[in-house]
């Protein structure tokens, strides 16, 4: 009788662990795309833009983004850091897409305005913009703080085209 009890207890523990692992894997089942970049302010002392990123939930369970930590790079040079642990953004299940907007600002003088302009002129529409970092995701009893994000696009992707982020896939 004791053996049956311990076998049942072990099976319950294994089942609980497998359920937990599946839920954690589902929290990582999301994809990202850039929906838009809007220039808010541009002068010799400050460049400020609003970036809208779409987050798509490819899992069966809804979750909430509870914070993010992004580095913004232009041609592999970090120009800004975005950190927010105060906002909570809900993302629906089964392909739910939610826009996530944040403001990027930096002083071009800190990075050499002439260097940035020379790079833009040299690479033109091929200027590469990268967002990399991580997001904190919460669902039910599970919280993960290091779900990785890495998006790279070129300036050409947004010049003369309407990008609504619909190319997002899982």
């Amino acid at each position: 009788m004791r053996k049956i009890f311990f076998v049942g207890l072990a099976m319950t523990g294994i089942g609980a662990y497998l359920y937990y692992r599946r839920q954690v894997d589902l929290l990582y089942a999301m994809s990202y795309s850039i929906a838009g970049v809007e220039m808010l302010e541009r002068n010799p002392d400050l460049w400020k833009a609003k970036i809208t990123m779409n987050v798509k939930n490819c899992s069966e369970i809804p979750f909430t983004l509870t914070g993010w930590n992004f580095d913004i790079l232009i041609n592999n040079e970090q120009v800004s850091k975005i950190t927010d642990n105060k906002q909570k953004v809900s993302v629906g299940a089964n392909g739910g897409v939610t826009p996530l907007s944040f403001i990027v600002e930096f002083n071009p003088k800190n990075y050499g305005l002439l260097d940035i302009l020379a790079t833009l002129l040299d690479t033109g529409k091929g200027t590469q913009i990268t967002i990399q970092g991580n997001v904190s995701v919460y669902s039910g009893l599970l919280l993960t703080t290091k779900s990785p994000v890495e998006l790279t696009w070129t300036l050409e992707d947004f010049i003369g085209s309407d990008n609504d982020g619909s190319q997002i896939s899982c």
Side-chain angles (χ1 to χ4, degrees), residues 70-101:
F70 299 134
D71 292 326
I72 311 299
L73 297 94
I74 296 177
N75 290 334
N76 296 323
E77 183 177 342
Q78 182 180 355
V79 295
S80 187
K81 185 167 197 68
I82 308 298
T83 303
D84 190 342
N85 293 320
K86 297 184 185 341
Q87 291 189 47
K88 294 190 181 338
V89 178
S90 297
V91 182
N94 298 318
V97 177
T98 300
L100 177 64
S101 295

Side-chain angles (χ1 to χ4, degrees), residues 57-151:
N57 182 358
C58 301
S59 73
E60 303 164 353
I61 56 174
F63 60 77
T64 302
L65 299 176
T66 59
W68 45 87
N69 182 14
F70 299 134
D71 292 326
I72 311 299
L73 297 94
I74 296 177
N75 290 334
N76 296 323
E77 183 177 342
Q78 182 180 355
V79 295
S80 187
K81 185 167 197 68
I82 308 298
T83 303
D84 190 342
N85 293 320
K86 297 184 185 341
Q87 291 189 47
K88 294 190 181 338
V89 178
S90 297
V91 182
N94 298 318
V97 177
T98 300
L100 177 64
S101 295
F102 46 90
I103 305 294
V104 176
E105 57 184 50
F106 68 96
N107 184 343
K109 289 181 181 177
N110 293 344
Y111 302 99
L113 180 60
L114 292 177
D115 292 340
I116 292 172
L117 290 175
T119 301
L120 288 173
L121 291 173
D122 184 38
T123 59
K125 293 180 180 178
T127 298
Q128 205 174 52
I129 302 166
T130 303
I131 297 175
Q132 63 185 22
N134 56 59
V135 295
S136 298
V137 182
Y138 170 76
S139 180
L141 300 174
L142 304 175
L143 173 68
T144 178
T145 58
K146 298 288 183 185
S147 183
V149 174
E150 182 154 352
L151 284 170

